[in-house]
Amino acid sequence: MGFVRRQAITAALTANAIRPLPGFRAGIPAFFAGWITGELAPHVLGLTVADAAAHAVGPRRNLRGLALAGLSSAGLVYLVQQSRQAVTEAENALVEGLGVDYVEQLDAKPSPADLATPWGRIANPFAFGRAARKAGVEVQRDIPFAPYGKRGLLDVYTSEVTPASGAPVLLQVHGGGWTIGNKDQQGLPLMQHLAARGWVCVAINYRLSPRDPWPAHIVDVKAAIAWIRENIETYGGDPNYIAITGGSAGGHLSALAAVTPNAPEFQPGFEDADTTVQAAVPYYGVYDMAGVTGLPNARLMRDHFLGPRVFKKRFAEQPDIYEQASPLLRITADAPDFFVIHGEHDTLVDVRQARAFVEALRTTSKRTVTYAELPGAQHAFDVFPSIRSQHLVRATERFLNWHWNLWRREQSAPAEVTSAQ
């Protein structure tokens, strides 16, 4: 019965990963079950096959358990193949958003190895320290940027190939529903990958609710941008070029920071600091804090979580602070280049929020807007290396490499015109 019970649980988890349980209340358990099963599908498949093989012959043979194992295995193979489609989806998104010739602007065109599934890295997805050492990545930890103790610290990622000066900078903002999370828990695959290629990556903590209600979170993100402008040259970074990324609440904060450059309401005491960013890559972010899309997921999150836990004010009392906090409502023609990434099966943040945000960007912004919607992907798919996350790490690198080269050309253009005159 232990074998049958294990296979019944595996079958249920696999079914939820393929088609998550619907509804706001089911969203959190559906997320945890689908996220782990979907991103670790190769590992779950291996364990399922091994378990079935051990019970396929002799007195331990159990037809009911074997049938369940067969169904689970078929579903897990489907999930693996779906994850492998991420490379195609991401590349199609880059071509659509940047143009068919965008690869000509990269330092090097993606090789077959760049587009292949990195099975070696996926085999042990939690070996972050070993992966960093192998890539020559160094981390300088717990550097103060704001006077809030642990919540005012940041880490700087560099490597042996980081130049002495002029390296592009990536700011990583962790998620956790604005209430939990830490700078060394998220974004590690992307930061390690980019640092190994010469980028300077900065991961920050920020104040959390309910102890510190909104807008403390975005104020701290803006303070971190100001700190980078003042200090990143010490670590080899270019203070004039900052890209920002983050997932979930970090995706929201990244997008909001990108569309509200130098907004005084988010910069108390440092209103004159330059908090512009040059590019933004929000992963599965929350874009509608005010519920203006009318999506049930957005309104339920607003009334049952954001109000009592994050804002500490009901929407009916002060709708303006929710509207100020909604990236969807803060877009201007001067918004920077965006690469928006979201999972089709995200049960925590409805993918339709991302679609609405992208549509608004494409309507209003003068810059490029790239959007990758990943079939079968749940929330937080990039927390550890998986098939899907590794493909998106490298797609993000291509986007940022393209943008860094574009930005440098744009910066040199005025000088070239002056020289020609």
Side-chain angles (χ1 to χ4, degrees):
M1 290 302 297
F3 171 55
V4 174
R5 188 176 294 113
R6 285 196 301 275
Q7 293 310 318
I9 292 171
T10 302
L13 292 172
T14 302
N16 175 72
I18 294 172
R19 188 176 292 278
L21 294 171
F24 182 75
R25 294 187 181 279
I28 293 177
F31 153 63
F32 280 109
W35 165 53
I36 293 294
T37 307
E39 298 311 310
L40 293 179
H43 307 76
V44 179
L45 176 61
L47 292 172
T48 300
V49 170
D51 197 14
H55 293 81
V57 295
R60 304 178 68 188
R61 191 164 182 251
N62 187 302
L63 294 179
R64 182 181 300 175
L66 291 172
L68 288 169
L71 290 172
S72 297
S73 297
L76 290 163
V77 168
Y78 171 80
L79 290 173
V80 170
Q81 294 302 321
Q82 192 176 56
S83 295
R84 297 183 70 182
Q85 293 175 17
V87 64
T88 302
E89 296 295 332
E91 191 59 26
N92 288 344
L94 290 170
V95 169
E96 179 186 7
L98 308 180
V100 293
D101 62 343
Y102 92 93
V103 293
E104 305 295 335
Q105 315 305 320
L106 304 181
D107 293 336
K109 293 183 180 180
S111 67
D114 293 326
L115 302 176
T117 300
W119 294 108
R121 181 67 184 95
I122 293 165
N124 189 356
F126 303 107
F128 290 113
R130 185 169 63 184
R133 289 190 296 272
K134 184 177 179 181
V137 175
E138 302 173 352
V139 186
Q140 300 187 54
R141 300 189 184 277
D142 297 333
I143 302 166
F145 76 93
Y148 307 119
K150 178 182 176 181
R151 302 316 306 177
L153 301 177
L154 59 79
D155 298 338
V156 177
Y157 290 69
T158 58
S159 74
E160 53 197 19
V161 301
T162 303
S165 64
V169 180
L170 177 72
L171 172 58
Q172 156 70 27
V173 184
H174 73 76
W178 306 272
T179 61
I180 60 173
N182 201 61
K183 56 185 168 56
D184 59 1
Q185 295 173 344
Q186 298 174 31
L188 296 178
L190 178 60
M191 289 192 293
Q192 291 178 355
H193 185 83
L194 288 175
R197 284 153 179 77
W199 282 65
V200 175
C201 298
V202 180
I204 64 166
N205 280 342
Y206 52 87
R207 286 172 291 170
L208 300 172
S209 295
R211 176 177 176 176
D212 292 292
W214 183 266
H217 323 72
I218 188 64
V219 169
D220 293 353
V221 172
K222 296 281 191 173
I225 296 171
W227 183 93
I228 290 171
R229 294 256 185 248
E230 291 290 328
N231 298 278
I232 206 63
E233 284 184 296
T234 303
Y235 304 91
D238 185 339
N240 297 311
Y241 183 89
I242 303 172
I244 190 168
T245 189
S248 193
H252 161 257
L253 293 168
S254 299
L256 185 62
V259 297
T260 58
N262 307 323
E265 67 270 25
F266 296 149
Q267 297 181 207
F270 59 105
E271 292 87 353
D272 295 334
D274 180 7
T275 60
T276 58
V277 297
Q278 281 57 59
V281 188
Y283 280 61
Y284 43 88
V286 181
Y287 306 106
D288 179 17
M289 305 285 270
V292 296
T293 57
L295 295 171
N297 177 276
R299 290 189 171 182
L300 288 167
M301 180 185 293
R302 179 195 70 192
D303 296 336
H304 295 282
F305 179 72
L306 294 176
R309 295 283 295 172
V310 179
F311 287 86
K312 306 293 285 185
K313 293 181 179 67
R314 290 168 40 196
F315 176 74
E317 296 170 346
Q318 281 191 269
D320 57 310
I321 64 170
Y322 287 79
E323 293 165 358
Q324 286 183 340
S326 296
L328 181 63
L329 301 178
R330 302 299 299 268
I331 299 168
T332 69
D334 295 323
D337 298 85
F338 265 87
F339 183 13
V340 179
I341 301 165
H342 215 98
E344 178 191 27
H345 284 173
D346 192 325
T347 59
L348 296 187
V349 182
D350 194 322
V351 68
R352 289 176 290 180
Q353 284 201 37
R355 294 171 186 167
F357 183 61
V358 168
E359 181 180 358
L361 280 170
R362 287 175 171 167
T363 301
T364 305
S365 174
K366 295 182 293 187
R367 306 295 298 189
T368 65
V369 182
T370 302
Y371 176 52
E373 184 173 306
L374 306 177
Q378 252 289 3
H379 203 74
F381 65 85
D382 66 321
V383 171
F384 54 82
S386 65
I387 295 173
R388 184 180 285 112
S389 73
Q390 287 295 281
H391 283 314
L392 266 296
V393 161
R394 290 180 291 183
T396 300
E397 180 202 5
R398 293 197 292 278
F399 170 81
L400 290 174
N401 181 235
W402 170 86
H403 190 271
W404 167 239
N405 289 337
L406 172 69
W407 182 83
R408 286 188 293 177
R409 287 197 305 273
E410 290 178 345
Q411 297 305 300
S412 65
E416 292 173 357
V417 171
T418 302
S419 177
Q421 291 175 344

